[in-house]
Amino acid sequence: MIADLLQVPDELSARVPAEQRGPGLGRDAVRLLVSRGAAEVGHHTFGDLPDLLAAGDVLVVNTSRTLPAAVDGRVGDGRGRGEPVVVHFSTRADRWHPAGRAVAGRWAVELRSPDGHGSTRPRAGGPAGTVVRLPGGARLVLEGPVDPGSVRLWWARVTGARVAELMRRHGRPIRYGYTDREQPLAAYQTVFAVDAPGGGSAEMPSAARPFTPELVAPLVSKGVQFAPVALHTGVASAEAFEPPYPERFVVPPVTAWLVNAARPGAGRRRAAGSAPSGRIVAVGTTAVRALESAAGADGRVRAAAGWTDLVVTPERGVRAVDGLLTGLHEPTASHLLMLEAVASVTADGEALRRAYAAAVRGRYLWHEFGDLHLVLPD
């Protein structure tokens, strides 16, 4: 594992969006590390992306919009001031959820403690029955842990307000301590984000953030196609190698058609080891999780919607994805298992280690406002 070999210096955290790092810069002013199979890595700018893709390639993009999912509150029933907390609204339950104990109207939430600098620090949730007073007279009551083995995420119900309206009026984007300052919600939306009733992500599908209309146009002109999926992400895992929780996803029929048309007979061809006519490149780990949740053992993708608890690992492998455009992940993040699965399509695990070592040497920036990594077949 990369975690055994790599330390990422704190100064390589991207503290502000790219467009705020200097005059005349835009969202696309980030660097792009490129891994091609087992070959040595290449160093590019994000503007080089049209030159790195080919006609017939398909970029699978997550259209989930980012929610203002952080809301201030105080623990207690109102008879005293109470402990200040920040509620991170992670995932809305609907009629069914793989955890089995949530019903419609409940949310998976994380309680955090303010750190005095505009961000938060970890705080254990619970116990059941804890009341959190929210703005406008609303109240949140913790009911039980999402995972019985963890006290981080809890199912909760809100009374006195609709959560969507509560977030719209009083919420802000989730912010972590490595950032310099609070950013407007627009800074966390991607060019692909669309409004969907009841949909949205607690955290930005950040791999798509550097895309701009000015960059999408030459990609389309070249013959690169865009295929939408939606995966509504919850809060990021706080523990080392903690797998992602179940999340809602949609793979529409048009995307299934585009992917299958680009690589007909995908299962047979992949088994034979020859290159597909069009590469399926997921933009972000969220797009991988959504698309692979709709892929059969034969590699063909079928329209699907619902909840996914899929965890993509090197042992499970990938069935529909040939490449990945993603940010640089912490060495202890479970997302690295997914990267190893994608990289292992055409190379061994050493290729990913070499790429991350090159990123540290090259002073690439980490996290949601940072630089990107493009993993392609050789």
Side-chain angles (χ1 to χ4, degrees), residues 39-356:
E40 291 298 317
V41 299
H43 302 277
H44 297 263
T45 65
F46 194 70
D48 295 335
L49 187 62
D51 297 326
L52 297 166
L53 299 177
D57 287 343
V58 178
L59 287 174
V60 182
V61 297
N62 188 358
T63 61
S64 182
R65 64 188 176 93
T66 308
L67 299 171
V71 178
D72 292 326
R74 284 188 178 272
V75 173
D77 57 10
R79 283 172 255 181
R81 285 184 56 80
E83 173 199 356
V85 295
V86 178
V87 179
H88 287 174
F89 286 93
S90 179
T91 304
R92 179 183 61 83
D94 51 20
R95 290 177 296 173
W96 179 84
H97 184 276
R101 291 178 298 150
V103 296
R106 269 51 171 177
W107 279 77
V109 302
E110 178 187 28
L111 299 189
R112 306 270 295 186
S113 295
D115 66 0
H117 303 286
S119 184
T120 61
R121 56 178 178 269
R123 177 196 184 280
T130 295
V131 176
V132 179
R133 288 176 286 138
L134 300 173
R139 290 191 174 202
L140 177 146
V141 180
L142 299 183
E143 296 188 332
V146 172
D147 180 349
S150 171
V151 294
R152 189 169 69 90
L153 286 181
W154 284 69
W155 289 118
R157 57 183 172 85
V158 173
T159 59
R162 293 172 58 106
V163 173
E165 182 65 12
L166 187 71
M167 286 192 288
R168 188 187 70 80
R169 295 184 61 185
H170 303 287
R172 60 188 180 277
I174 290 175
R175 177 192 163 199
Y176 290 109
Y178 50 77
T179 58
D180 274 354
R181 55 185 176 270
E182 195 168 298
Q183 299 289 339
L185 183 60
Y188 291 86
Q189 302 295 8
T190 75
V191 71
F192 305 111
V194 297
D195 287 327
S201 292
E203 297 188 356
M204 171 178 56
S206 56
R209 189 183 189 278
F211 281 90
T212 64
E214 293 76 17
L215 185 65
V216 170
L219 286 165
V220 173
S221 296
K222 188 169 186 174
V224 175
Q225 301 184 81
F226 287 83
V229 297
L231 186 119
H232 303 303
T233 66
V235 296
S237 297
E239 304 297 332
F241 302 114
E242 182 182 15
Y245 288 93
E247 294 165 320
R248 298 199 315 279
F249 81 104
V250 178
V251 175
V254 65
T255 292
W257 186 89
L258 283 169
V259 169
N260 294 333
R263 45 200 311 275
R268 294 189 299 276
R269 181 166 53 220
R270 182 177 289 271
S274 59
S277 57
R279 296 170 295 186
I280 309 303
V281 180
V283 179
T285 57
T286 61
V288 175
R289 195 182 200 198
L291 195 65
E292 290 291 325
S293 295
D298 60 355
R300 293 188 64 79
V301 175
R302 295 157 180 87
W307 290 87
T308 178
D309 56 4
L310 175 66
V311 179
V312 178
T313 65
E315 292 73 26
R316 188 266 187 191
V318 289
R319 299 168 178 174
V321 172
D322 302 302
L324 173 62
L325 177 66
T326 184
L328 294 163
H329 300 283
E330 288 288 348
T332 56
S334 61
H335 292 309
L336 284 177
L337 295 174
M338 181 184 293
L339 263 71
E340 288 185 357
V342 175
S344 66
V345 171
T346 55
D348 57 28
E350 289 301 319
L352 193 57
R353 291 185 180 89
R354 286 196 297 271
Y356 267 64

